Amino acid sequence: MCGRYTFIAPAPTVEQRFDATFTEPAPTSYNAAPSQRMPIVTNLAPHEIQLVQWGLIPAWVKEVRQAAKPINARAETLGEKPSFRQLLQRRRCLVLADSFYEWQQTARGKVPHRILRLDEQPFAFAGLWDEWADRTTGEVVPTFTIVTTEPNELVARLHNRMPVILPSREAELAWLDEDATAAEHQALLRPLPDGLLKEYAVTTLVNSPAHNDPSVLEPAA
């Protein structure tokens, strides 16, 4: 799964990298957690970077307080679940990030690791999004989930799943492409090739979303 990540790149760098503009002030998060509003680029507005709540609330949900709000969606079963299948067809997004965390099970407990590109540049997870409308107030709440897949060699040493990281600008554009088929979109949901990531252990500060400052990036002693 992917339950924490970072977004700390400067806004101008991100806007240039993704050929899109923030619609409101860019956040800085060293420890992004579910329910927070984080930057995404949707297939319907590919030149806008919007802040959207992490944790999917599908449009068909009636009672939001009891809804599951999944933070991840398994790539292998997207086509089997009606709610995800529809979103794969019509509501895809790039979830912007520059690293993510996974917890490795060891004899001394779970050890958090930070995983980032070798060049330490921003990247995009493949995501799905939707809009839920409050039938009482009329408020529309956009939300997203991150697609996960089997791990590559590096991540497999830490966890049995990893987020889908789109490997290139071409792959990002293909994921957003309205004219591509569902099969073409599904084909993009693969582990990132080996040799593009690095990782290091961090302290357990990252375990709590309350810790959201540069100290969570420090290597463990």
Side-chain angles (χ1 to χ4, degrees):
M1 66 176 294
C2 178
R4 300 287 175 77
Y5 64 94
T6 69
F7 182 84
I8 58 178
T13 299
V14 174
E15 290 182 329
Q16 182 177 24
R17 164 66 176 78
F18 293 100
D19 189 24
T21 303
F22 280 95
T23 58
E24 55 187 295
T28 297
S29 183
Y30 299 89
N31 194 6
S35 81
Q36 295 176 1
R37 295 175 71 239
M38 297 302 298
I40 73 168
V41 175
T42 72
N43 57 310
L44 298 185
H47 295 292
E48 294 182 357
I49 303 174
Q50 306 174 52
L51 301 189
V52 172
Q53 181 178 307
W54 183 15
L56 187 71
I57 306 175
W60 50 263
V61 165
K62 294 182 179 179
E63 180 49 69
V64 70
R65 286 175 294 183
Q66 298 177 4
K69 305 181 186 71
I71 63 172
N72 294 153
R74 293 175 65 94
E76 300 89 337
T77 58
L78 289 183
E80 300 172 9
K81 299 184 177 181
S83 57
F84 287 151
R85 183 170 64 244
Q86 293 176 13
L87 297 183
L88 179 62
Q89 294 170 349
R90 60 186 178 85
R91 296 208 161 174
R92 299 168 307 283
C93 65
L94 307 179
V95 180
L96 311 189
D98 33 54
S99 70
F100 65 101
Y101 301 101
E102 290 292 3
W103 278 256
Q104 180 184 29
Q105 185 67 58
T106 73
R108 54 194 175 90
K110 290 186 176 181
V111 177
H113 292 249
R114 183 184 180 215
I115 304 161
L116 60 166
R117 288 185 62 98
L118 288 175
D119 59 13
E120 302 188 5
Q121 292 301 301
F123 55 80
F125 300 128
L128 302 173
W129 67 283
D130 207 352
E131 291 180 323
W132 176 80
D134 188 317
R135 291 164 175 77
T136 302
T137 66
E139 179 188 12
V140 175
V141 180
T143 60
F144 73 89
T145 188
I146 295 171
V147 181
T148 65
T149 186
E150 295 180 351
N152 63 12
E153 183 179 359
L154 181 143
V155 178
R157 300 198 294 265
L158 310 174
H159 201 271
N160 62 359
R161 301 291 294 174
M162 72 176 292
V164 173
I165 298 175
L166 297 164
S168 65
R169 185 60 181 154
E170 291 73 20
E172 293 165 2
L173 294 174
W175 178 243
L176 297 181
D177 187 356
E178 289 286 87
D179 295 324
T181 66
E184 289 170 331
H185 288 137
Q186 187 75 47
L188 295 167
L189 303 179
R190 299 174 295 184
L192 189 70
D194 294 321
L196 299 177
L197 298 174
K198 60 182 178 180
E199 61 85 14
Y200 63 93
V202 295
T203 73
T204 54
L205 281 176
V206 75
N207 290 0
S208 170
H211 298 140
N212 191 357
D213 59 63
S215 66
V216 301
L217 305 181
E218 293 296 322

